Each structure stands twice: as C-alpha cells, then as structure tokens.
C-alpha cells in the first residue's frame, strides 16, 4: 500500500501531502512508488514473477525501451490469468466467479469474511471484469473519493448537515452499490433506477430528490442530462442541489451551462475512474480536472504505443501504485484522453486533463403519446444484471421506435435467452417500438476498444420537432 498506509485517513493525508510537492518531488515519489509496487508484484504474483524475470526493476524504470516492451494488460488478460496474477491464495477465480454469478449473494460477504470486497464490472469495455480489494485497498478508493469531496466542499456551503445521494445500479455485485450501502440513511440515499423490475420514471426520481433534498447528487452523465431536461420542462421542480457529480461519460460545456441555469448556479464536478483502477481524475474547485498521478503511472499513448505530447489525444494506460491483491501494470482502459499544457490556478502539482473523450448518447427515450420520456443507461445495466444467461449485451436505439440488441450468452443459457431479453426490454420502450434481439457468439468492440453497452443514434430534439409538426 502507498507509503505503508492502510487507513482512510492515512491514505488521505498522504494524497493531500502529494498535492503540495513540486513537479520534481512528485516525479521522485512516483518512481519510488512504482518501484515498490513492481517489487511487490514480482515477489507475490507468479504472473509478474515470470513477466519481470531477468529484468531488474531499476533498469526497467530507467529504460523507456524496456518499459514500453512490457505487454499491455486489460480485463481479458486479467480474467484469463486471474489465478497467477493474484497475490493471495484465498481468492481462486472459480470461487470468485461462482460468487459473482449468483446475484442473490450481492449483500453477502465473500467466503463469510468482511475483509474482501469482490465486485464485477458492467462490461462497458466489452469484456467482463472480476476484481477483489482488501481493506487497505478499499481505504485507498475511499480516500480518493474524499479528495474530490474536499474540492466540492471548498466550492459549496451546505446549510446544515450535508446530505448526499447517488442514482446508481443497486442490488448487484457492483462497486458503487457495495461501497455505499452501509452509509447512514439520514445523510446518504441510493436512488434506484429499477423498482419491482420496471424502470423508475423521471417523475419518481424527481419526487425522491424533492423529498430527501440532497445537497450533492452523484450519477451517470445520461441521468444528469435527464434531470436537467426535466427541470427545464418543469420549473416547479423544487429540488435545489449545490453540486452535481458526474460519473461515466464526460459532459459538454453546453450541458454544464444548462445545469447551472436550471439549478440556480449549481456546480458540476466530474469524477473519472473505473472498477478496475479506482478513481483516476477529478474536478477541483477551480474547475480543472486533475489526474491522480500519485496513485498510478498514467501513460497517454498513440496507436503504436508511443507517448504523445501534451495537448494530443491518446489511449490511457495505467500502472497502479496500490493494487496489491490483483496488481495491474500497463493496464489499457480503452479511454482516450489528452493532457493540458498549463497548470491549474488551484496550485496543485497534479497534472491537468486537457480533454477526456466521452459520450452523452447513452440517454435513451421511449414514446408516450406525443411526448418522449427519458430512460438512462443505468436502467439497462440493472435490467440485464437480472436476466439469466446473459454474459454481455449491446443495445442500440436506432430511432425512438426501433431498438436492436446483441446478446452474448453464458454457457448453458438455453435457446430461449433471446426471448427472455425481448420480454424484459420491450416493455421499457412501450407499445409501437420494434425490439430486435440477436444472439451472437461474440460482441465486437469498436475500433478504439471501447464498448458502449447502450447507445442512442438519433437526435431527440429533431424527433420532438417532427412529432410537433405532424400533430
């Protein structure tokens, strides 16, 4: 663990100290942390013992050619080599997989022990992921989140005790749900995207927000867009947030401006990360997004695997300083990013993100009479979590009345898996929408390697205008 810290406060203090270092001091500390992590992985993981055999760590870090010669990891590599990557004997992949395949055990500890957090990903890279975090690693994830919250609270001033909420997938083996389910309900609430197997409407979500009145809301970008559109159409919506924290897709400046106009100057913060790597970047009180380069070596590479200069977009590759249970070195996320050329006015030494490419077309719509009602991505992430036999899916809404779904089944899923998907998906979009389901051996990723499980390919504004013109 970073600097031997295992408590949330210990890690947080360490991260705060790093923000005050000079650029050279931070680089020296990064090299030390990476050296320590590689030595740990070499000594505890058969995978890395073999990968790094014959190459002294000091030589590896001092030679760019040596370093860039190391192969990339990703979810598929980790899953295939899970039992030789792991550094603990009590997490064999078969046991982890069996636990994660049983969604009814989401609220049960793995192997009757509260020491380990065992989670899965929703497959947004097109590949499944199984991840295990011990208590020290969980402390690190929480400390990274508190780093963002310090910036949020420096920018806003709640009246009275702070109340926070999150609109997330609930009741599944996902890290957001598992790490927040025990928070005090008087100060934190999880607002579901599904209730009794049906999508929660935006009106129901708005009513929950008005009742609990959280000062801060964390949710996917698609859900944020849905709430902004609802507020624009319903000025009487009385919820007044102080801060909105966007996770998942990045937001364009127009949507941020619309949020501020709709919600009386609300501040919008981004929190970028993944179940695989923890949090990687966050927005400070000055509005810049900073990279957690004191938590990981973050490389930005071109298509040939060469580093790109600041201002140029490249693929992000992570070598974590704190993943000890399942070390990750040169781990390719599939996201595209560029580094900023100028420091931030906040004075932190952590580098600034120039551009983080994301998508807002994960907010889908259903027709109800002459109106369009939004359906955010989280509805489908949870819906498919509860359809037996589905390994991965890709749902594309070509038009408001036309949806196609690719399904990659689990072994033994049965010949009726496609019918099960149709039965669950079609009611979400309502009568008059065509839902075509195809069961395939493998769902291909995009050329960039990033896989959107949910995508919208039409402009809802144009659709609304057309509907109004024919009324």
């Amino acid at each position: 663990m970073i600097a031997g810290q295992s408590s949330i406060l210990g890690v947080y203090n360490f991260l705060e100290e790093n923000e005050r270092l000079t650029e050279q001091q931070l680089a020296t500390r990064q090299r030390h942390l990476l050296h320590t992590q590689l030595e740990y992985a070499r000594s505890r993981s058969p995978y890395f013992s073999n990968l790094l055999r014959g190459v002294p760590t000091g030589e590896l870090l001092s030679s760019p050619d040596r370093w860039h010669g190391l192969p990339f990891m990703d979810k598929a590599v980790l899953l295939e080599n899970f039992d030789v990557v792991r550094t603990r004997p009590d997490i064999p992949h078969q046991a982890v997989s069996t636990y994660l395949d049983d969604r009814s055990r989401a609220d049960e500890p793995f192997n009757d022990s509260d020491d380990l957090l065992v989670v899965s990903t929703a497959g947004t890279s097109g590949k499944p992921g199984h991840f295990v975090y011990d208590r020290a690693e969980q402390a690190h994830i929480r400390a990274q989140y508190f780093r963002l919250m310090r910036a949020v609270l420096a920018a806003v001033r709640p009246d009275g005790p702070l109340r926070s909420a999150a609109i997330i997938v609930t009741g599944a083996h996902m890290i957001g749900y598992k790490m927040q389910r025990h928070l005090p309900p008087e100060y934190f609430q999880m607002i579901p995207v599904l209730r009794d197997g049906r999508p929660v409407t935006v009106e129901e979500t708005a009513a929950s927000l008005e009742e609990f009145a959280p000062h801060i809301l964390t949710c996917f970008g698609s859900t944020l867009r849905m709430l902004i559109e609802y507020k624009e159409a319903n000025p009487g919506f009385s919820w007044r947030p102080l801060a909105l924290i966007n996770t998942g897709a990045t937001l364009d400046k127009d949507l941020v401006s619309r949020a501020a106009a709709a919600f009386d100057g609300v501040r919008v913060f981004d929190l970028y990360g993944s179940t695989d790597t923890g949090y990687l970047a966050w927005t400070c009180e000055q509005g810049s997004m900073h990279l957690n380069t004191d938590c990981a070596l973050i490389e930005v590479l071109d298509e040939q695997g060469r580093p790109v200069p600041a201002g140029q977009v490249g693929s992000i590759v992570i070598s974590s300083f704190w993943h000890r249970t399942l070390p990750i070195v040169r781990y390719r996320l599939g996201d595209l990013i560029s580094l900023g050329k100028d420091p931030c006015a906040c004075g932190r030494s952590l580098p600034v993100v120039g551009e983080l490419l994301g998508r807002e077309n994960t907010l889908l719509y259903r027709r109800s009479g002459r109106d369009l009602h939004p359906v955010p991505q989280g509805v489908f992430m949870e819906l498919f979590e509860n359809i037996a036999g589905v390994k991965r899916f890709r749902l594309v809404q070509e038009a408001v009345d036309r949806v196609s779904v690719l399904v990659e089944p689990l072994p033994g899923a049965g010949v009726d898996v496609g019918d099960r998907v149709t039965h669950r998906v079609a009611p979400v979009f309502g009568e008059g929408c065509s839902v075509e389901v195809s069961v395939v051996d493998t769902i291909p990723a995009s050329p960039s390697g990033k896989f959107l499980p949910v995508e919208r390919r039409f402009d809802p504004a144009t659709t609304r205008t057309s509907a109004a013109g024919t009324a």
Side-chain angles (χ1 to χ4, degrees):
M1 183 55 57
I2 284 183
Q5 298 292 348
S6 59
S7 69
I8 299 174
L9 182 59
V11 178
Y12 176 82
N13 288 338
F14 179 79
L15 299 180
E16 187 176 30
E17 175 186 307
N18 292 337
E19 296 176 11
R20 299 191 294 267
L21 298 178
T22 66
E23 184 176 340
Q24 184 57 50
Q25 288 172 328
L26 182 60
T28 300
R29 178 161 287 184
Q30 290 167 331
R31 181 182 175 90
H32 169 73
L33 293 170
L34 183 57
H35 188 284
T36 301
Q37 177 70 0
L38 291 174
E39 287 293 287
Y40 183 91
R42 185 198 299 270
S43 65
R44 303 290 185 93
S45 163
Y47 176 87
F48 287 104
S49 176
N50 180 64
L51 181 69
L52 304 176
R53 179 179 292 119
V55 185
T57 301
E59 180 181 331
L60 187 65
L61 298 184
S62 62
S63 171
D65 289 340
R66 284 277 201 176
W67 178 256
H68 293 140
L70 291 178
F72 293 118
M73 298 179 73
D74 59 15
K75 289 179 187 175
V77 171
L78 180 58
L79 201 65
E80 181 180 351
N81 297 281
F82 192 98
D83 282 327
V84 289
V85 172
R86 62 186 169 100
T87 62
R88 291 177 55 142
D90 58 341
I91 55 167
H93 187 250
Q94 183 58 55
V96 169
S97 180
T98 299
Y99 171 76
L100 292 175
D101 285 344
D102 187 349
R103 296 182 177 99
S104 69
R105 298 179 63 191
D107 290 321
E108 299 177 7
F110 175 72
N111 282 356
D112 298 320
S113 170
D114 290 326
D115 175 55
L116 295 175
L117 179 70
V118 179
V119 293
S120 60
T121 63
T124 54
S125 67
K127 307 178 182 72
H130 298 165
F131 300 92
V132 182
Y133 294 107
D134 65 19
R135 284 191 180 277
E137 292 165 321
Q138 293 172 55
H140 199 284
I141 296 170
R142 293 187 186 279
Q144 290 174 326
Y145 181 76
F146 292 152
R147 169 181 261 178
L148 164 75
M149 288 305 299
R150 183 190 58 180
V152 172
L153 294 177
V156 302
R157 292 288 185 270
D159 53 343
L162 179 70
R163 294 184 303 279
S164 180
I167 302 177
I168 59 176
V169 176
T170 58
H173 291 291
M174 295 185 183
I175 194 167
Y177 169 70
K178 287 201 165 189
M179 293 200 75
Q180 298 179 96
R181 57 186 169 155
H182 297 308
L183 294 176
E186 63 269 30
Y187 301 119
F188 176 83
Q189 284 189 9
M190 286 188 288
I191 299 175
V193 295
L194 283 180
R195 185 176 290 130
D196 300 325
R198 66 168 180 82
V200 174
T201 66
V202 64
E203 290 81 8
E204 290 173 314
T205 299
S208 296
L209 291 169
E210 284 185 317
E211 181 180 2
F212 182 57
H215 301 97
I216 299 172
L217 176 69
T218 301
C219 61
F220 285 133
S222 58
T223 302
L224 208 54
R225 174 180 283 277
M226 178 185 75
L227 291 172
I228 293 168
E229 291 180 350
Y230 180 79
K231 174 61 178 176
E232 290 172 338
N234 299 272
F237 179 28
S238 62
W239 174 55
R240 294 292 183 269
L242 299 178
L244 300 171
I245 301 175
N246 166 57
T247 63
T250 53
L251 302 177
D252 61 31
K253 293 181 179 180
D254 172 67
L255 196 65
V256 174
S257 298
R258 286 171 60 189
F263 291 111
D264 297 336
V266 68
R267 292 288 302 270
V268 179
F269 295 81
D270 283 293
L271 181 60
Y272 168 62
S274 70
T275 302
D276 325 28
T277 61
Y279 298 119
L280 297 174
W282 49 282
T283 305
C284 75
E285 61 274 16
Q286 293 292 328
S288 297
M289 180 177 268
H290 293 270
L291 282 172
N292 287 337
T293 53
D294 52 350
C295 301
L297 173 66
I298 300 177
E299 300 177 79
V300 184
L301 308 176
D302 63 17
E303 293 179 354
Q304 285 73 47
R306 299 169 302 197
V308 302
Q312 184 173 326
V313 172
S315 180
I316 188 168
V317 176
I318 308 299
S319 297
S320 171
F321 300 154
W322 58 273
H323 282 69
R324 292 294 175 88
T325 306
L326 292 169
I328 59 173
V329 176
R330 304 212 82 205
Y331 191 94
R332 198 162 210 161
L333 282 176
D335 291 338
L336 298 176
I337 195 172
S338 69
L339 299 180
K341 296 180 179 180
D342 300 316
C344 178
C346 73
R348 292 178 174 91
S349 57
L350 302 175
V352 172
V353 174
E355 184 178 19
L356 178 60
L357 300 186
R359 302 173 178 88
E360 294 182 26
N361 57 343
T362 57
L363 180 63
L364 278 56
Y365 290 85
R366 60 172 292 168
R367 193 188 297 279
S368 178
R370 294 176 179 173
D371 295 329
L372 298 186
H373 288 204
V375 185
Q377 173 180 327
V379 166
F380 301 98
M381 307 313 292
E382 183 157 339
L383 189 72
F384 277 87
E385 272 283 310
N386 293 284
I387 300 177
V390 174
K391 181 179 181 181
R392 286 192 290 275
F393 76 95
R394 174 161 166 73
L395 186 151
V396 178
Q397 188 174 22
E398 307 282 355
V400 70
D401 56 359
R402 189 171 72 256
V403 172
S404 62
V405 186
L406 294 180
V407 174
E408 184 177 336
L410 289 165
V415 295
D416 62 341
V417 63
D419 293 335
R420 292 199 297 273
V421 170
T422 302
H423 177 72
R424 297 296 301 278
V425 171
V428 175
F429 293 98
E431 295 182 6
C433 182
S434 167
V435 177
E436 180 181 343
V437 178
S438 301
V439 180
V440 297
D441 292 334
T442 303
I443 299 178
S446 67
S448 70
K450 196 66 177 175
F451 175 83
L452 282 177
V454 172
E455 181 181 3
R456 187 191 73 244
R457 291 183 176 173
F458 69 95
D459 182 358
T462 302
T463 302
R464 284 193 179 100
T465 302
S466 299
T470 57

